[in-house]
Amino acid sequence: MTQHKDLRIPNTGAYVLRHARVPAVFFDGAMPGLAQDSEGCALVDLTITDGKIAGIAAAGSAAPGPDDIDLTGRLVWSTLIDIHTHLDKGQVIPRAMPDGTLDGGAIGTFEDRKRWTHADMRARMSFGLRCAYAHGMGAIRTHLDSQEENAPTSWDVFRELRDEWAGRVELQAVGLVPLTFFRTPWGKELPGLVARSKGVLGGTTDAIGYYDGARNDELVALLNLFFEVAGAHGLDVDMHVDQSDDPAAFSLPLIAEAVLRTGFKGKVLAGHCVNLALQDEATIKRTAELCAKAGIAVSTMPTPMVYLQDRKPNRTPRWRGVTAVSELLAAGVPIAIGGDNCRDAWFPYGDHDMVDTFQQSVRVLQLDHPLTPAIAGIGPASAKIAGFAGTGRIVAGAKADLILFAARTLNEFMCRPQSDRIVLNVGRRVTDPLPDYAELDAILAV
Ligand SMILES: [Zn+2]
C-alpha cells in the first residue's frame, strides 16, 4: 500500500481528490445538503482546476479524470491560520533564553531588540515563515514591537516579506506598543506608519500599571485615546489584554465599554484575556455578554500561557492560564486560536505549526466533543476575525491551498503529530523542507 507521504500529486493543477473527508466547518455553511459523519465531517470529491477548487460534490459523484487521486476517506483541511504570533521576536534561542516568567520575557526581549537590524530580522522572520509554510499555514498575523527605535526597520522587513510570500502565506502585521505610548510624540506617528503599511493597530493593557505607571483608573482615558486614534486612521485593532493572574488587573470590560462608548467601527480582537477565567461566574458571564455586544472577538494562545502563567519556583501550577473560551463562545464571542511566541525570550518552544497548537489547545481548553469550534478557530472563524480573504475555507472558487492528512478521522488526527501531511499550494505539492536550525547559527553567534 502506498504510504501517505508518497501519494503522487499531479503537477497539472487539474484533478479530483476523491473520497476526501472534510470537516464541514471548512465549508462555512456553503454545503448544507451534504451528509456528515458523527465527527461533523463530510465525504466529498474535490475537483481542482487551475489551482482552484472548482467543485465540491458528494463522494463518488464527480466526473472521473486521468489524474484523480483516491484519498480513501483521509482528511483534507484548508491550509491553516495563525492569528497571533510574533515573527519579529522569534528564533533567538540561545541568544536570548526565557526563564519561564512574564518579567523574564519582557526583559529578555528588551535586550534582544538592540540586535534587531534589518538583516537579523529578515533572517529570523524568513526562517519562521518557512517553518509555517512547510507545515501548511496559509495566513499569519504577526505582531511587531513598534517602539520608535525598532518600528521603521521592523515594518520595512515585514512589507518586503509580505510581498515575497504573497500567494503562499498571506501576511498581516499589528503595531504593538503599550497604550501609554499613544500619549507620546511617537504614538502620534505610529498609527500613520501602520495605516500606510495596511496594518492593524495594537496596544497592550497587560499589567499596564506595573510596567508603565498607568493605574487602572487611567485606563479609561487611554482607551478613549486609543480607539479615537485607530478610528481616525481607519484601522482595525488587535490588543494584548490581561495576560495576568491578578483578577484585579482586569481591563477586558473597560475595553468593551470603550468600544461601545466611542462607537469605534473597526474590528476589535482582544488577545489572551486570561484573568477572565479567574473572575467569579457572574462576572465571566457579564463580561462575555458585554464583549458580544461590543463585537469584540477573542484570541487564545494556550501553548505559551500554559508555560508562563502560574509558574512559581519548585511548585506545580494550579491553573491552566487560559481564558474562559467556552463561556465566551456560549455568549456568541468569535474565538480564534493563535500560536504566539516561538523560540524567543517569552516562550522557548514551537515551530509555527498550527496542527501542533491545535492538538495542545484542544487538550488544555477541553475544547472537544465536538472539535468543531477549535477547528473554526484556526480556519474559518479566524479568517473572518482577521479578514483573511484566501485562506481557511474549502469553498468553490477558493484557492486549492489544502492539507492532506493520513488520518481518516478527527480522533486519528488528534493522536499523531501528522508529520507525514501533504501541503498543497494552488493545487501543487509544496516540497520546501523545514529550514535547518544550523542556518541561524551565524546570526545568533554575535
Ligand atoms: Zn502575543
Side-chain angles (χ1 to χ4, degrees):
M1 187 180 163
T2 313
Q3 293 278 311
H4 180 70
K5 64 180 170 42
D6 297 328
L7 265 184
R8 192 189 57 81
I9 307 294
N11 218 15
T12 57
Y15 51 88
V16 181
L17 292 170
R18 308 194 82 88
H19 302 101
R21 196 180 309 275
V22 177
V25 65
F26 283 116
F27 300 138
D28 202 20
M31 304 294 294
L34 281 176
Q36 295 179 23
D37 63 22
S38 60
E39 293 180 318
C41 298
L43 208 54
V44 296
D45 293 342
L46 295 172
T47 302
I48 314 290
T49 307
D50 296 331
K52 289 189 171 166
I53 299 169
I56 305 169
S61 62
D67 284 334
D68 291 0
I69 300 160
D70 190 350
L71 291 175
T72 63
R74 280 171 276 185
L75 285 169
V76 174
W77 290 27
S78 161
T79 53
L80 299 173
I81 296 170
D82 186 349
I83 203 163
H84 181 131
T85 188
H86 295 262
L87 288 169
D88 58 343
K89 295 184 171 84
Q91 313 298 341
V92 292
I93 289 179
R95 187 172 80 186
M97 279 301 284
D99 64 5
T101 68
L102 291 149
D103 279 355
I107 293 163
T109 301
F110 176 80
E111 286 301 319
D112 199 64
R113 273 205 300 262
K114 295 169 186 168
R115 300 171 186 265
W116 291 8
T117 61
H118 190 282
D120 174 75
M121 299 198 73
R122 197 182 157 79
R124 292 185 295 98
M125 289 172 71
S126 298
F127 190 96
L129 281 164
R130 287 159 65 203
C131 297
Y133 186 57
H135 286 310
M137 304 310 107
I140 290 177
R141 174 182 280 188
T142 182
H143 292 254
L144 298 175
D145 281 11
S146 291
Q147 284 78 0
E148 187 170 8
E149 59 276 22
N150 294 102
T153 305
S154 300
W155 283 86
D156 270 355
V157 175
F158 164 74
R159 288 188 304 264
E160 285 173 22
L161 292 174
R162 181 175 57 192
D163 291 348
E164 275 177 41
W165 283 86
R168 293 178 291 166
V169 180
E170 191 177 347
L171 278 174
Q172 293 181 353
V174 183
L176 176 62
V177 288
L179 283 191
T180 45
F181 274 46
F182 293 101
R183 287 177 171 163
T184 67
W186 172 242
K188 295 188 179 19
E189 286 184 42
L190 177 63
L193 169 65
V194 172
R196 287 192 299 279
S197 306
K198 298 184 172 52
V200 175
L201 199 61
T204 172
T205 65
D206 296 340
I208 197 163
Y210 182 80
Y211 288 117
D212 298 292
R215 298 189 315 278
N216 274 354
D217 55 6
E218 291 180 29
L219 202 47
V220 171
L222 283 167
L223 287 166
N224 282 343
L225 175 63
F226 177 67
F227 285 110
E228 277 163 20
V229 166
H233 287 82
L235 293 167
D236 292 338
V237 305
D238 188 339
M239 307 177 75
H240 277 68
V241 178
D242 299 340
Q243 225 175 140
S244 163
D245 63 358
D246 178 2
F250 186 42
S251 66
L252 184 56
L254 298 181
I255 292 170
E257 284 164 6
V259 171
L260 293 168
R261 183 172 59 245
T262 58
F264 180 69
K265 295 284 182 287
K267 292 182 173 182
V268 182
L269 180 58
H272 295 298
C273 311
V274 301
N275 69 5
L276 175 64
L278 301 177
Q279 310 296 326
D280 62 65
E281 297 296 327
T283 305
I284 292 173
K285 189 166 188 293
R286 192 169 59 244
T287 305
E289 287 167 357
L290 194 57
C291 287
K293 188 175 170 197
I296 294 176
V298 169
S299 56
T300 180
M301 279 61 73
T303 47
M305 287 301 100
V306 164
Y307 172 82
L308 283 165
Q309 297 293 341
D310 201 19
R311 179 187 287 263
K312 297 184 178 65
N314 305 313
R315 173 185 167 277
T316 301
R318 305 292 195 265
W319 75 295
R320 299 186 185 203
V322 288
T323 192
V325 165
S326 294
E327 291 86 338
L328 288 163
L329 281 168
V333 176
I335 293 284
I337 299 172
D340 213 354
N341 304 71
C342 187
R343 304 188 70 236
D344 65 14
W346 295 89
F347 184 59
Y349 313 128
D351 204 30
H352 296 291
D353 179 7
M354 290 306 291
V355 169
D356 174 57
T357 298
F358 174 88
Q359 291 176 333
Q360 295 193 55
S361 300
V362 163
R363 290 168 167 92
V364 171
L365 294 163
Q366 297 183 351
L367 201 56
D368 43 15
H369 316 307
L371 287 161
T372 308
I375 298 173
I378 57 173
S382 227
K384 279 198 195 101
I385 290 168
F388 286 118
T391 313
R393 299 190 309 156
I394 296 179
V395 291
K399 277 201 305 168
D401 289 0
L402 302 167
I403 313 178
L404 280 44
F405 295 104
R408 298 165 306 164
T409 66
L410 296 181
N411 176 267
E412 291 177 2
F413 177 90
M414 282 296 293
C415 297
R416 286 189 178 166
Q418 308 306 329
S419 39
D420 55 354
R421 77 192 78 161
I422 294 168
V423 178
L424 304 182
N425 175 248
V426 288
R428 292 179 172 79
R429 185 171 189 152
V430 171
T431 54
D432 308 33
L434 285 169
D436 192 320
Y437 289 129
E439 292 179 30
L440 294 167
D441 289 353
I443 62 156
L444 296 181
V446 257

